[in-house]
Amino acid sequence: MSAAVPHPLSPGSRAVGARDLAWLTGSLVLVAAPHALRAPWWLMLLTLCLRG
Amino acid sequence: MSANQKRQPSRLVLGVAAVAMLGVWMEYRTLFGRGPGIVLLVLFAGLKLLETRTHRDAAVAAFLGYFLIITNLLYTQSIPTAALMCAALFTLTATLVGLSAPQRGQRANLRTAALLLAHAAPAALVLFLLFPRVQGPLWGLPQDAYAGMTGLSDSMAPGNLSSLAQSDAIAFRAEFAGQAPPHAQRYWRGPVLWDFDGRTWTIMPAAFTTFAPPQGGTRYSYDIVLEPHNRPWLFALESAASLPERSRMTLDGQLFATAPVRARLRYQASSAVDPAPGAGEDARLLWRARRLPPDSNPRAAALAAEWRAASSSDAEILMRAIAFLREGRYTYTLEPALLGAHPVDDFLFASREGFCEHFSSAFVFLMRAAGVPARVVTGYQGGDLNSVDSIITVRQSDAHAWAEVFLAGRGWVRVDPTAAAVPGRVDVGLARAVPRPESLPLMRRPSLEWLRGARDRWEALAHVWNVWVLGYNPERQRDLMSLVGMRDADWRALTATLFSVLGLMTLALLAWSLGRLVRPDPVQRAWRAFCRKLAARGVARAPYEGPRDYASRAARALPASRLAILRIGVQYIRLRYGAHPSRPGVVKLRRMVRGLRLA
């Protein structure tokens, strides 16, 4: 039995656009900002390097 | 993409996750608990962003963001944090809306997100008001959450209070039922220190007594909102005339809660200022109140012995000590000189500068050395009247130490040696008593008077937030429920009410949605009216007929109204299938349909 082919418009197939990615990143930055002030400095450096 | 083609996390992401987890473990020595747990979550959210390619990935990261919103409230529940988290909630919701409708304009997505949250707000409010409350904070915080709390300690050494006095943090706020006592009479009693080792004063083990209210004096009733300080002490104007709920009183007149205060606590209290003389005292306590370490501070001890020899009563010794401090030209400072092995001697005869702990410590030492029972009382003195809500705010910078002396026939008498030496400290407050304002907390400096109004407004708002939002406890919930006729509502009644109200809200929302479905929008209504008019003239629309074809056929069938019919068709198509139906366009369509006269 062959695996079902997902619909081309299913969430797992649709590529996320630059606009949505920017909104998501901004939202997560808002959420993580207070934690960033408390987190160890090396973790922030690591996160910034990864994003860079 | 087939199931076996599912994208696996890249080696880079797995490697970074492993390194980060190792780093978190090395930093915290555990991966569990509030700090390391949240750091890991933040890190994983960042890593999820790295591998986000599809809408599904983005939705997962957004839901992780929702969870991270809650984690911020484990640290602080202040107004700025709540506002920031509301903003994050909005942007995350807008992100999810954007993922569902990628073709729509961002403004429309933002409007939808706002509408969704507005729909959820009444349910959130009902849950907040009716969800059965438990005593204590809603969030159970781990032990490390209390490590950084500031406040008075159970011991006092030179320098303790002066370092505490440099903090502008709020200790508690007091709301008086009527007129508040003047600044000079606002002594908020805290730990009483009995034992002295030559340098440090410490409390004695708490021994509780049956509460007996003081007689006479001026009575004051007030509510206190105490900030958490991780100690069981409650503060009240001396002497407490009633016991707050769930509290006890020690032999030395201090109020104790049943557990350390780890969440903001509101309690009612009343006090008597300048009460009638108290009764006698237990002989063991009086012995304790005369005890001094041997060979400590010999010069001060010799001076006290002289006073004893020259005085006929304890009251006379007391007056001599006050006169000695008043005439000694002592300087009041937040940055006193370091003291040696005999700190009382050094302060009284060498440095001659100190903070209230130096004055009270030296005074009690002198009294004890002269054979007069005395003890140190720590607490707060004064507090600022907020010009906005008329509530007195007492800060850590109001921390103070004074003395109590036992006099036969009068009981324990409060004496403030700092006030004797530096009268301004008690009359006008710390800010004007300290000669160098640079050492004061920023907002206490006289030069920044203009900023104080803004701070008063902010603190009044924060007080309302603390009392009505964060301080919404079982008692407040019961009071609110009794206002709507539910007396003594227990958790079952609250739960039943909660589900009833939520059910009614859901039904109302359902009815509204169905109404929208049944009742077509204005464009559709106008079009149907147009179709009815044409049908009355024998040109009924066939079920398969689109608006353009129908308008063309009707125009041919009714040539006298041809132009009007075609224009209505075009206007309907523009509104129905265009990007955004404009309000004037809808009005125009309705007017055209209403004005259509078919011959």
Side-chain angles (χ1 to χ4, degrees), chain B residues 456-478:
Chain B
D456 281 0
R457 267 182 225 107
W458 173 253
E459 286 183 352
L461 179 69
H463 183 74
V464 171
W465 171 262
N466 290 340
V467 169
W468 288 104
V469 180
L470 303 183
Y472 186 66
N473 55 17
E475 286 80 29
R476 290 213 159 245
Q477 192 173 39
R478 247 195 323 270

Side-chain angles (χ1 to χ4, degrees), chain B residues 36-325:
Chain B
I38 290 173
V39 162
L40 278 177
L41 267 180
V42 171
L43 187 83
F44 292 159
L47 289 175
K48 187 68 198 166
L49 264 184
L50 260 189
E51 61 164 22
T52 292
R53 300 281 181 276
T54 65
H55 279 200
R56 187 188 163 281
D57 295 330
V60 168
F63 285 119
L64 189 54
Y66 279 123
F67 188 75
L68 279 171
I69 287 179
I70 301 171
T71 60
N72 274 295
L73 302 176
L74 294 176
Y75 285 97
T76 166
Q77 294 151 21
S78 63
I79 297 174
T81 303
L84 186 68
M85 290 309 109
C86 281
L89 187 70
F90 176 65
T91 54
L92 278 170
T93 309
T95 306
L96 284 177
V97 172
L99 289 173
S100 309
Q103 305 304 326
R104 276 211 310 176
Q106 196 54 44
R107 190 173 287 184
N109 287 346
L110 290 175
R111 207 178 305 124
T112 306
L115 197 67
L116 281 172
L117 292 176
H119 282 165
L125 182 67
V126 168
L127 280 165
F128 174 78
L129 291 174
L130 293 178
F131 192 86
R133 297 268 153 174
V134 290
Q135 195 66 47
L138 187 59
W139 311 98
L141 297 186
Q143 287 300 313
D144 63 344
Y146 312 114
M149 292 179 181
T150 56
L152 291 171
S153 138
D154 54 8
S155 64
M156 183 187 83
N160 284 166
L161 287 186
S162 47
S163 59
L164 187 61
Q166 292 174 31
S167 162
D168 215 20
I170 293 177
F172 56 88
R173 302 193 89 215
E175 186 174 7
F176 282 83
Q179 186 76 23
H183 192 282
Q185 287 188 353
R186 294 201 292 263
Y187 282 85
W188 305 95
R189 191 182 186 85
V192 181
L193 312 177
W194 291 80
D195 299 329
F196 186 52
D197 66 359
R199 185 171 194 83
T200 302
W201 291 88
T202 49
I203 59 170
M204 67 174 182
F208 297 101
T209 182
T210 311
F211 177 68
Q215 303 298 313
T218 313
R219 300 278 162 150
Y220 293 96
S221 294
Y222 47 92
D223 282 354
I224 297 260
V225 178
L226 179 62
E227 295 295 315
H229 58 106
N230 203 20
R231 302 277 190 173
W233 310 320
L234 302 181
F235 296 92
L237 275 179
E238 58 169 9
S239 310
S242 65
L243 276 182
E245 270 185 55
R246 290 186 288 277
S247 72
R248 293 175 291 175
M249 182 172 267
T250 60
L251 282 173
D252 47 25
Q254 197 194 345
L255 292 176
F256 264 65
T258 47
V261 180
R262 288 174 172 171
R264 198 171 283 110
L265 177 69
R266 185 186 176 98
Y267 57 88
Q268 289 183 323
S270 64
S271 292
V273 171
D274 289 333
E281 185 57 282
D282 186 275
R284 279 169 301 178
L285 281 180
L286 291 180
W287 169 79
R288 194 170 197 134
R290 288 194 192 94
R291 217 165 49 158
L292 284 175
D295 307 324
S296 164
N297 301 289
R299 285 186 69 186
L303 177 66
E306 277 177 33
W307 291 344
R308 166 54 69 192
S311 304
S312 57
S313 67
D314 289 355
E316 191 179 335
I317 295 172
L318 172 65
M319 298 315 294
R320 281 177 190 268
I322 290 174
F324 176 79
L325 288 175

Side-chain angles (χ1 to χ4, degrees), chain B residues 497-516:
Chain B
T497 313
L498 173 66
F499 280 106
S500 305
V501 174
L502 285 179
L504 283 175
M505 286 172 68
T506 310
L507 282 178
L509 202 62
L510 204 63
W512 179 71
S513 304
L514 284 175
R516 274 172 65 94

